[in-house]
Amino acid sequence: MFHQYYKSIRCFHAVAKTGGFTSAAQYLHIGQPTVTDQVKSLEARFNVELFLRSGRSVKLTAAGERLYAITQGLFGQEEEAMLFLQGARKLKVGMVRVGSVSPPIAMELARNFKQAHPPLDITVSIGSEESTLQGLQDFSIDVGIVVEPAAAEGLHIEPYRNERIVAVVPEGHAWTRRKSISTRDIEGETVILREPGSKTRHRVERACRQQDVSLHCAMEINSREAIQHAVANGMGVSFVTQVEFIPLPGLAAVAIDDEQLSISYSLCCLSIRRERPLIDALFAVAL
């Protein structure tokens, strides 16, 4: 029923807000006769007097005051919605949600995005590649940071950055006295690896196979942070990308001379959403 009287109530609100029929017409960008007719129609339809008219001035009646209290909330929310939409168009309001397999890379991107767009919000969730890609499909995240995702219909992928894998060793380990090591130097070391499916683990195992190096895996841990704590406690050596190395007490990173030991990260989103303003702004900052 309300939609039948929307124009009339909108005109009433404008008159009450601006204090006159002429100013209300200017506010609504319509002719004054239209405003006058709409208000008169509303009063006649419900047999109620909303304004006391005296020449060019108008004053709300008691009924008009009560109706205006209602329309202030009603049209105030309408105006708030328009201000929000206008702000979103100008990238003054909004939030972009990022899912990532790498905490350091996601945090660096979040920092750069906030520096470029201070009014905008960004949230970051860390998970596996599978959960990140699923989050895009579920619309629970807007942009994903994953390692070399397979091409898929409806998925937009852009290369983001390449990170070398380094050896993580206890402080005082023989490797720390060298500028770098080779893959062959891993032979005979007690190694701590990520869980099967880890891209870092895959790269290390592949490089060792190609050079006929035997890996002595003493432990599997599904957390980069936990692995580095284990190494710091002398439980073996391990491997992470340079950006993910945490300089804990008792820990050191050593470069590896093997081009294959690197990880390529990509940004991805649903193809149909690539040009959305917030997603486009994030890609622009990242790339």
Side-chain angles (χ1 to χ4, degrees), residues 228-245:
Q228 293 181 73
H229 279 286
V231 173
N233 282 283
M235 300 175 70
V237 302
S238 192
F239 309 93
V240 297
T241 56
Q242 180 69 58
V243 72
E244 292 170 338
F245 172 69

Side-chain angles (χ1 to χ4, degrees), residues 11 21-22 24-38:
C11 287
F21 285 85
T22 301
Q26 294 171 344
Y27 176 74
L28 295 174
H29 303 289
I30 59 177
Q32 181 182 330
T34 301
V35 176
T36 302
D37 290 345
Q38 289 288 342

Side-chain angles (χ1 to χ4, degrees), residues 2 12 17 26 59 69 114 119 123 133 135 141 148 196 224-225 227 250 275 280:
F2 174 77
F12 158 79
K17 180 182 178 72
Q26 294 171 344
K59 182 180 179 181
K114 286 296 292 182
T123 66
L133 293 175
I141 62 171
E148 300 173 8
R224 300 176 186 87
E225 294 76 13
I227 281 178
E275 300 306 320
D280 186 56

Side-chain angles (χ1 to χ4, degrees), residues 173-229:
H173 190 282
W175 290 352
T176 61
R177 296 190 290 274
R178 299 166 57 177
K179 185 177 179 180
S180 63
I181 64 167
S182 70
T183 302
R184 290 191 176 279
D185 290 318
I186 300 172
E187 183 85 54
E189 291 287 337
T190 298
V191 175
I192 302 170
L193 293 177
R194 287 287 303 275
E195 74 283 1
S198 158
K199 293 294 175 66
T200 303
R201 174 172 178 162
H202 171 263
R203 298 295 190 276
V204 171
E205 289 179 331
R206 183 182 65 183
C208 288
R209 279 197 310 271
Q210 290 181 348
Q211 299 198 34
D212 200 25
V213 172
S214 297
L215 269 177
H216 175 216
C217 179
M219 186 182 302
E220 292 180 358
I221 304 178
N222 67 348
S223 161
R224 300 176 186 87
E225 294 76 13
I227 281 178
Q228 293 181 73
H229 279 286

